[in-house]
Amino acid sequence: MNQEKFSSHRRKTLGVIENQAYSQIPQLSSVMKKGISIRGSVLGLEGSNNHLSSSIGQNRAFQRISNSGNFLENGHVGSGIQKEMFRNSRQSLAPSSARRSSVYTSGRPSSISFLSQAASQAPSKDPRPIRDKQYQLTCIHSIILYLTNSGFPQVLTQKNLQQPTQKDFIAIFKWLYNRLDPNYQFVKKMDDEVIMCIKNLKYPFADQISRSQLMAVGSPHSWPSMLSMLHWMVEVITCTEKLINGEIDVDDNNDNHAEKIFFDYLTKAYRVFLSGDDDFSEMEKELEQEFDKRNEEILLVIERIEKENGSLSQAMKNITESMSSIEALDRERQVLQSDKDKFNQYIQYLENKKKKFIDLNARLKNELFNKEKELSQLSIEKSELQTQVDAQPISPADVDRMTAERESLVKNLEIVTGKMEESSKQTFEKEILAQKKIDSLEKLIATYNSLGYKIGIIPETAPYADNASFELDFINSSINHGNIRPDQLVNRDLKYDIRPRLQKLRQDLGSKLHKEQDEAIQLQEVLDKVCEGLLDARDELDILQARVTAIMEQYNEIKDTMLVESSASNAEIEKLERDLQQMKITAQNGLLQLEQRSQSVSIEYDQLVHATNTLKEDLYREVIRMLDEVIKFKLHIQTALEALENDVIMENQNSNLDDTEK
């Protein structure tokens, strides 16, 4: 009997403890409330806990039922409650703190616990194109779609996420993080909370997000990083939900196949254990069959690999044995190849030499043919000349005379040739001298024209030209006509035309120059007066500058005094701020202590309420028992009184009968 009672108690490990009689550990109020709601949903009872405890008939019919057993027996209802319990049993990922009282239960750990196994080293730079407009639009669409499907309370549009406000970002971040950790409470400043939360989630680029970016979320510099972080959170949440709902199939052909088989065995065995049966032979047989099947597959793979290894080893052995003959043949092939290359080179050399000799032979044959032809022509000419000489009737005296005349003619020709060369030389020198003079004349004309342009007499429309042409041009065509005069080399008459006009212009300019000099003297006098006034103004300026310097010294003294006073006031302000900060810290510590005290008082209150309810139930049972006893006692007394009354009546009747008989 005791063993059955212990077995019935130990099969309630997954359920909510319904009575403190089994454990003296106080429960949190949230757990007690969950236990009451689950009991009500499983048993199908209506009303509050007080109503249940006050109903005598329901108390008599009440039985403790294992919640885990109900999960397995009630099918749909049990699975829904189990999911709800698992969802509510997630622990907060944040560090434990007095202000973060995330309720702990004995359910499975948080569904995002796998994030703690993220990469330990984050990349130095985000490889995602976070500043690409198309990528940002994709992230915005994904975030809006998830928020809409998950029941986000606010209405968001694409424009809201292109230029978000601080309020919108905080609301979205809180919603997404609470989807991962429903029991987490945001109590600090949001810039600190966001950085701590993304570090807890192992966000790979958490170090690239600073507080200054969080203070100006909507700025073009900060928003791409924030948007990519929110998109990453959406992807993590989506993957987590798919894993929880079983939408992602796990590949069986991995290294954890044995663990999966054993986990399935434990799941089935635990269900059988919770149902009250201790016979696990069928599950053990299935486990053995699974492992045998797995071992057979592994043995087949090993056998196949061994066969392949044997064939490869034999092939390698054959190749190793044939290596010696292959090496000898390879060496012989290399020697023959070398000989072949040498013979090819020698043949090529002979071919080139053959071509050279063929060309040389052809050239020699051609030269020999030309020489023979030339020799035949010379022989013919010689014979013709000899024939002509033989045919002429000239005596030796005629030949001597002709020779003497020829010599005298040659001498005269040499003398004439020398004189002609000397005259040609003199002519050339004169031409060079004339050309130099002409070049110098051209330069002088060019200089004259340039000076005329500068002083304003060229061209005719110049200010000092007076519609007269002062420009000179060199006449090149006159040089080729032989004897010319110097005045014919230019286009104007310099003596009677240009010179008088220039003299007149000189006189006019001289008179104007005198007038300008007089005006300059007058202006110089005015300038001297202005300079004297300027000197007086400078003296006055120096006096004013000295006064300004004195005033600036006074200003600096006053400024230094004000700086000293300001530093003293700043020090006083800093001291007051430190005191204020200390007071704030003290107030916060007091508030934390009060919150802790409030939580402990609420826990004690819940315990007292639970104990009171238990005591009420016991009192109700005792009152009912006493009422039953009183009723039974009343009925017993009533029965005894009725029997006594009947006895009295019978005795009275008997006495009356006796009296009548007497």
Side-chain angles (χ1 to χ4, degrees), residues 428-486:
F428 180 71
E429 291 176 355
K430 295 293 183 181
E431 288 179 354
I432 291 174
L433 182 60
Q435 186 65 36
K436 289 181 179 179
K437 295 294 183 181
I438 291 170
D439 293 338
S440 62
L441 179 61
E442 289 180 352
K443 291 180 180 179
L444 289 174
I445 291 172
T447 304
Y448 167 79
N449 290 330
S450 63
L451 292 175
Y453 278 110
K454 290 181 180 179
I455 64 177
I457 60 174
I458 297 174
E460 296 178 357
T461 57
Y464 299 110
D466 195 14
N467 294 326
S469 178
F470 288 91
E471 187 175 2
L472 298 179
D473 291 331
F474 182 76
I475 302 174
N476 291 322
S477 60
S478 61
I479 299 175
N480 299 324
H481 291 84
N483 297 324
I484 57 172
R485 296 194 306 272

Coordinates of all heavy atoms in Angstrom, one line a residue, residues 428-486:
F428 N 79.8 85.7 -103.8 CA 79.1 85.0 -102.7 C 79.3 85.8 -101.4 O 78.3 85.9 -100.6 CB 79.7 83.6 -102.5 CG 79.1 82.8 -101.4 CD1 77.8 82.3 -101.6 CD2 79.8 82.5 -100.3 CE1 77.2 81.6 -100.5 CE2 79.2 81.8 -99.2 CZ 77.9 81.4 -99.4
E429 N 80.5 86.3 -101.2 CA 80.7 87.1 -100.0 C 79.9 88.4 -100.0 O 79.3 88.8 -99.0 CB 82.2 87.4 -99.8 CG 83.1 86.2 -99.5 CD 84.6 86.6 -99.5 OE1 84.9 87.7 -99.8 OE2 85.4 85.7 -99.1
K430 N 79.8 89.0 -101.2 CA 79.0 90.2 -101.3 C 77.5 89.9 -101.1 O 76.8 90.7 -100.4 CB 79.2 90.9 -102.7 CG 80.6 91.4 -103.0 CD 80.9 92.6 -102.1 CE 82.3 93.1 -102.4 NZ 82.7 94.3 -101.6
E431 N 77.1 88.8 -101.6 CA 75.7 88.4 -101.4 C 75.4 88.2 -99.9 O 74.3 88.6 -99.4 CB 75.4 87.2 -102.2 CG 75.3 87.5 -103.7 CD 75.0 86.2 -104.5 OE1 75.0 85.1 -103.9 OE2 74.8 86.3 -105.7
I432 N 76.3 87.5 -99.2 CA 76.1 87.3 -97.8 C 76.1 88.6 -97.0 O 75.2 88.8 -96.2 CB 77.3 86.4 -97.3 CG1 77.1 85.0 -97.9 CG2 77.2 86.3 -95.7 CD1 78.3 84.0 -97.5
L433 N 77.0 89.6 -97.4 CA 77.0 90.8 -96.7 C 75.7 91.6 -97.0 O 75.1 92.2 -96.1 CB 78.2 91.7 -97.2 CG 78.3 93.0 -96.5 CD1 78.5 92.9 -95.0 CD2 79.6 93.8 -97.1
A434 N 75.2 91.5 -98.2 CA 74.0 92.2 -98.6 C 72.8 91.6 -97.8 O 71.9 92.3 -97.4 CB 73.7 92.2 -100.1
Q435 N 72.8 90.3 -97.7 CA 71.7 89.6 -97.0 C 71.7 90.0 -95.6 O 70.6 90.1 -95.0 CB 71.9 88.1 -97.2 CG 70.7 87.2 -96.6 CD 69.4 87.5 -97.4 OE1 69.4 87.7 -98.6 NE2 68.3 87.6 -96.7
K436 N 72.9 90.1 -95.0 CA 72.9 90.5 -93.6 C 72.4 91.9 -93.4 O 71.6 92.2 -92.4 CB 74.4 90.5 -93.1 CG 74.9 89.0 -92.9 CD 76.4 89.1 -92.4 CE 76.9 87.7 -92.2 NZ 78.3 87.7 -91.7
K437 N 72.7 92.8 -94.3 CA 72.2 94.2 -94.2 C 70.7 94.2 -94.4 O 70.0 94.9 -93.7 CB 72.8 95.0 -95.4 CG 74.3 95.3 -95.2 CD 74.7 96.1 -94.0 CE 76.2 96.4 -93.9 NZ 76.5 97.1 -92.7
I438 N 70.2 93.3 -95.3 CA 68.7 93.3 -95.5 C 68.1 92.7 -94.2 O 67.0 93.2 -93.8 CB 68.4 92.4 -96.7 CG1 68.9 93.1 -98.0 CG2 66.9 92.1 -96.8 CD1 68.8 92.3 -99.3
D439 N 68.7 91.7 -93.6 CA 68.1 91.1 -92.4 C 68.1 92.2 -91.3 O 67.1 92.3 -90.5 CB 68.9 89.9 -91.9 CG 68.8 88.8 -92.9 OD1 67.8 88.7 -93.7 OD2 69.7 87.9 -92.9
S440 N 69.2 92.9 -91.2 CA 69.2 94.0 -90.1 C 68.2 95.1 -90.4 O 67.5 95.6 -89.5 CB 70.6 94.6 -90.0 OG 71.0 95.2 -91.3
L441 N 68.0 95.4 -91.7 CA 67.0 96.3 -92.1 C 65.6 95.8 -91.7 O 64.7 96.6 -91.2 CB 67.1 96.6 -93.6 CG 66.0 97.6 -94.1 CD1 66.2 99.0 -93.5 CD2 66.2 97.8 -95.7
E442 N 65.3 94.6 -92.0 CA 64.0 94.0 -91.6 C 63.8 94.0 -90.1 O 62.7 94.3 -89.6 CB 63.9 92.5 -92.1 CG 63.8 92.4 -93.7 CD 63.7 91.0 -94.1 OE1 64.0 90.1 -93.3 OE2 63.5 90.8 -95.3
K443 N 64.9 93.7 -89.4 CA 64.7 93.8 -87.9 C 64.4 95.2 -87.4 O 63.6 95.5 -86.6 CB 66.0 93.3 -87.2 CG 66.2 91.8 -87.4 CD 67.5 91.4 -86.7 CE 67.7 89.9 -86.9 NZ 69.0 89.4 -86.3
L444 N 65.1 96.2 -88.1 CA 64.9 97.6 -87.7 C 63.5 98.0 -88.0 O 62.8 98.7 -87.3 CB 65.9 98.5 -88.4 CG 67.3 98.4 -87.9 CD1 68.2 99.3 -88.8 CD2 67.5 98.9 -86.5
I445 N 63.0 97.6 -89.2 CA 61.6 97.9 -89.6 C 60.6 97.3 -88.6 O 59.6 97.9 -88.2 CB 61.3 97.4 -91.0 CG1 62.1 98.3 -92.0 CG2 59.8 97.5 -91.3 CD1 62.1 97.8 -93.4
A446 N 60.9 96.0 -88.2 CA 60.0 95.3 -87.2 C 60.0 96.0 -85.9 O 59.0 96.2 -85.2 CB 60.4 93.9 -87.1
T447 N 61.2 96.5 -85.5 CA 61.4 97.2 -84.2 C 60.6 98.5 -84.3 O 59.9 98.9 -83.3 CB 62.8 97.4 -83.9 OG1 63.5 96.2 -83.9 CG2 63.0 98.1 -82.5
Y448 N 60.8 99.2 -85.4 CA 60.1 100.5 -85.6 C 58.5 100.3 -85.5 O 57.8 101.0 -84.9 CB 60.5 101.1 -87.0 CG 59.6 102.2 -87.4 CD1 59.7 103.5 -86.9 CD2 58.6 102.0 -88.4 CE1 58.9 104.5 -87.3 CE2 57.8 103.0 -88.8 CZ 57.9 104.3 -88.2 OH 57.1 105.3 -88.6
N449 N 58.0 99.3 -86.2 CA 56.6 99.0 -86.2 C 56.1 98.6 -84.8 O 55.0 99.1 -84.4 CB 56.2 97.9 -87.2 CG 56.4 98.3 -88.6 OD1 56.3 99.5 -89.0 ND2 56.8 97.4 -89.5
S450 N 56.9 97.8 -84.1 CA 56.5 97.4 -82.7 C 56.4 98.7 -81.8 O 55.5 98.9 -81.0 CB 57.4 96.4 -82.1 OG 58.7 96.8 -82.0
L451 N 57.5 99.5 -81.9 CA 57.5 100.8 -81.1 C 56.3 101.7 -81.5 O 55.7 102.3 -80.7 CB 58.8 101.5 -81.3 CG 60.0 100.8 -80.7 CD1 61.3 101.5 -81.0 CD2 59.9 100.7 -79.2
G452 N 56.0 101.7 -82.8 CA 54.9 102.5 -83.3 C 53.6 102.0 -82.7 O 52.7 102.8 -82.3
Y453 N 53.4 100.7 -82.6 CA 52.2 100.1 -81.9 C 52.2 100.5 -80.5 O 51.1 100.8 -79.9 CB 52.2 98.6 -82.1 CG 51.7 98.1 -83.4 CD1 52.5 97.5 -84.3 CD2 50.3 98.3 -83.7 CE1 52.0 97.1 -85.5 CE2 49.8 97.8 -84.9 CZ 50.7 97.2 -85.8 OH 50.2 96.8 -87.0
K454 N 53.3 100.5 -79.8 CA 53.4 100.8 -78.4 C 53.0 102.3 -78.1 O 52.3 102.6 -77.2 CB 54.8 100.5 -77.8 CG 55.0 99.0 -77.7 CD 56.4 98.7 -77.2 CE 56.7 97.2 -77.1 NZ 58.0 97.0 -76.5
I455 N 53.6 103.2 -78.9 CA 53.4 104.7 -78.7 C 52.1 105.2 -79.3 O 51.7 106.3 -79.0 CB 54.6 105.5 -79.2 CG1 54.7 105.4 -80.7 CG2 55.9 105.1 -78.5 CD1 55.8 106.3 -81.3
G456 N 51.4 104.3 -80.1 CA 50.1 104.7 -80.6 C 50.1 105.4 -81.9 O 49.2 106.3 -82.1
I457 N 51.0 105.2 -82.8 CA 51.0 105.8 -84.1 C 50.7 104.8 -85.2 O 50.6 105.2 -86.4 CB 52.3 106.5 -84.4 CG1 53.5 105.5 -84.4 CG2 52.6 107.7 -83.4 CD1 54.8 106.2 -84.8
I458 N 50.7 103.6 -84.9 CA 50.4 102.5 -85.9 C 49.3 101.7 -85.3 O 49.3 101.3 -84.1 CB 51.6 101.6 -86.2 CG1 52.7 102.4 -86.9 CG2 51.2 100.5 -87.1 CD1 54.0 101.7 -87.0
P459 N 48.2 101.4 -86.0 CA 47.9 101.7 -87.4 C 47.3 103.1 -87.6 O 47.5 104.0 -86.7 CB 46.9 100.7 -87.8 CG 46.2 100.4 -86.5 CD 47.2 100.5 -85.4
E460 N 46.7 103.4 -88.7 CA 46.1 104.7 -89.0 C 45.1 105.1 -88.0 O 44.9 106.3 -87.7 CB 45.6 104.8 -90.4 CG 46.6 104.5 -91.5 CD 46.0 104.5 -92.9 OE1 44.7 104.7 -92.9 OE2 46.7 104.4 -93.9
T461 N 44.4 104.2 -87.4 CA 43.3 104.5 -86.4 C 43.9 104.6 -85.0 O 43.1 104.8 -84.0 CB 42.3 103.3 -86.4 OG1 42.9 102.1 -86.1 CG2 41.6 103.3 -87.7
A462 N 45.2 104.6 -84.8 CA 45.8 104.8 -83.5 C 45.6 106.2 -83.0 O 45.3 107.1 -83.8 CB 47.3 104.5 -83.5
P463 N 45.6 106.4 -81.7 CA 45.3 107.7 -81.1 C 46.2 108.8 -81.6 O 45.8 110.0 -81.7 CB 45.4 107.5 -79.6 CG 46.2 106.3 -79.4 CD 45.9 105.4 -80.6
Y464 N 47.5 108.6 -81.8 CA 48.4 109.6 -82.2 C 48.8 109.6 -83.7 O 49.6 110.3 -84.2 CB 49.7 109.5 -81.4 CG 49.6 109.7 -80.0 CD1 49.7 108.6 -79.1 CD2 49.2 110.9 -79.4 CE1 49.6 108.7 -77.7 CE2 49.0 111.0 -78.1 CZ 49.2 110.0 -77.2 OH 49.0 110.1 -75.9
A465 N 48.1 108.7 -84.5 CA 48.4 108.6 -85.9 C 47.8 109.8 -86.7 O 48.3 110.1 -87.8 CB 47.9 107.3 -86.5
D466 N 46.7 110.3 -86.3 CA 46.0 111.4 -87.0 C 45.6 111.0 -88.4 O 45.9 111.8 -89.3 CB 46.9 112.7 -86.9 CG 46.1 113.9 -87.3 OD1 44.8 113.8 -87.3 OD2 46.7 115.0 -87.6
N467 N 45.2 109.7 -88.5 CA 44.7 109.2 -89.8 C 45.9 109.2 -90.9 O 45.6 109.2 -92.1 CB 43.6 110.0 -90.4 CG 42.3 109.8 -89.6 OD1 42.1 108.7 -89.0 ND2 41.5 110.9 -89.5
A468 N 47.1 109.2 -90.4 CA 48.3 109.1 -91.3 C 48.9 107.7 -91.1 O 48.9 107.1 -90.0 CB 49.3 110.2 -91.0
S469 N 49.5 107.2 -92.1 CA 50.2 105.9 -92.1 C 51.6 106.0 -91.7 O 52.4 106.6 -92.5 CB 50.0 105.2 -93.4 OG 50.6 103.9 -93.4
F470 N 52.0 105.5 -90.6 CA 53.4 105.5 -90.2 C 54.0 104.1 -90.3 O 55.2 103.9 -90.0 CB 53.5 105.9 -88.7 CG 53.3 107.4 -88.5 CD1 52.0 107.8 -88.2 CD2 54.3 108.3 -88.5 CE1 51.8 109.2 -88.0 CE2 54.1 109.6 -88.3 CZ 52.8 110.1 -88.1
E471 N 53.3 103.1 -90.8 CA 53.8 101.7 -90.8 C 54.7 101.5 -92.0 O 54.4 102.0 -93.1 CB 52.6 100.8 -90.8 CG 53.1 99.3 -90.7 CD 51.9 98.4 -90.6 OE1 50.7 98.9 -90.7 OE2 52.1 97.2 -90.5
L472 N 55.9 100.8 -91.8 CA 56.8 100.6 -92.9 C 56.8 99.1 -93.2 O 56.6 98.2 -92.4 CB 58.2 100.9 -92.4 CG 58.5 102.4 -92.1 CD1 59.9 102.6 -91.6 CD2 58.2 103.3 -93.3
D473 N 56.9 98.8 -94.6 CA 57.0 97.4 -95.1 C 58.2 97.3 -95.9 O 58.6 98.2 -96.7 CB 55.7 97.1 -95.9 CG 54.5 97.1 -95.1 OD1 54.6 96.7 -93.9 OD2 53.4 97.4 -95.5
F474 N 58.8 96.1 -95.8 CA 60.0 95.8 -96.6 C 59.6 95.2 -97.9 O 58.8 94.3 -98.0 CB 60.9 94.8 -95.8 CG 62.2 94.5 -96.6 CD1 63.2 95.4 -96.6 CD2 62.3 93.3 -97.2 CE1 64.4 95.1 -97.3 CE2 63.5 93.0 -97.9 CZ 64.6 93.9 -97.9
I475 N 60.2 95.7 -99.0 CA 59.8 95.3 -100.4 C 60.8 94.2 -100.8 O 62.0 94.5 -101.1 CB 59.8 96.5 -101.4 CG1 58.9 97.5 -100.9 CG2 59.5 96.0 -102.8 CD1 58.9 98.8 -101.8
N476 N 60.4 92.9 -100.8 CA 61.3 91.8 -101.2 C 61.4 91.7 -102.7 O 62.4 91.2 -103.2 CB 60.7 90.5 -100.6 CG 60.8 90.5 -99.1 OD1 61.8 91.0 -98.5 ND2 59.8 89.9 -98.4
S477 N 60.4 92.1 -103.4 CA 60.5 91.9 -104.9 C 61.5 92.8 -105.6 O 62.0 92.4 -106.6 CB 59.1 92.2 -105.5 OG 58.7 93.5 -105.2
S478 N 61.9 93.9 -104.9 CA 62.9 94.8 -105.5 C 64.3 94.2 -105.5 O 65.2 94.7 -106.2 CB 62.8 96.1 -104.9 OG 63.2 96.0 -103.5
I479 N 64.5 93.2 -104.7 CA 65.9 92.7 -104.5 C 66.3 91.9 -105.8 O 67.4 91.9 -106.2 CB 66.0 91.8 -103.3 CG1 65.7 92.7 -102.0 CG2 67.4 91.2 -103.1 CD1 65.7 91.9 -100.8
N480 N 65.3 91.2 -106.4 CA 65.6 90.4 -107.5 C 65.7 91.1 -108.8 O 66.0 90.5 -109.9 CB 64.4 89.3 -107.7 CG 64.3 88.5 -106.4 OD1 65.3 88.2 -105.8 ND2 63.1 88.1 -106.0
H481 N 65.6 92.4 -108.9 CA 65.7 93.2 -110.1 C 67.1 93.8 -110.3 O 67.2 94.7 -111.2 CB 64.6 94.3 -110.2 CG 63.2 93.7 -110.3 ND1 62.5 93.3 -109.2 CD2 62.4 93.5 -111.3 CE1 61.3 92.9 -109.5 NE2 61.3 93.0 -110.9
G482 N 68.0 93.4 -109.6 CA 69.4 93.9 -109.8 C 69.7 95.2 -109.1 O 69.5 95.3 -107.9
N483 N 70.2 96.3 -109.8 CA 70.6 97.5 -109.2 C 69.3 98.3 -108.7 O 68.5 98.7 -109.5 CB 71.3 98.4 -110.2 CG 72.6 97.7 -110.6 OD1 73.3 97.0 -109.8 ND2 73.0 97.8 -111.9
I484 N 69.3 98.6 -107.4 CA 68.2 99.3 -106.8 C 68.8 100.3 -105.8 O 69.9 100.1 -105.3 CB 67.2 98.4 -106.0 CG1 67.9 97.6 -105.0 CG2 66.5 97.5 -107.0 CD1 67.0 96.8 -104.1
R485 N 68.0 101.4 -105.5 CA 68.5 102.4 -104.5 C 68.0 102.0 -103.1 O 67.0 101.2 -103.0 CB 67.9 103.8 -104.9 CG 68.4 104.3 -106.2 CD 68.1 105.8 -106.3 NE 66.7 106.0 -106.1 CZ 65.8 106.0 -107.1 NH1 66.1 105.7 -108.3 NH2 64.5 106.3 -106.8
P486 N 68.7 102.5 -102.1 CA 68.3 102.1 -100.7 C 66.9 102.6 -100.4 O 66.2 101.9 -99.6 CB 69.3 102.8 -99.8 CG 70.5 102.9 -100.7 CD 70.0 103.2 -102.1

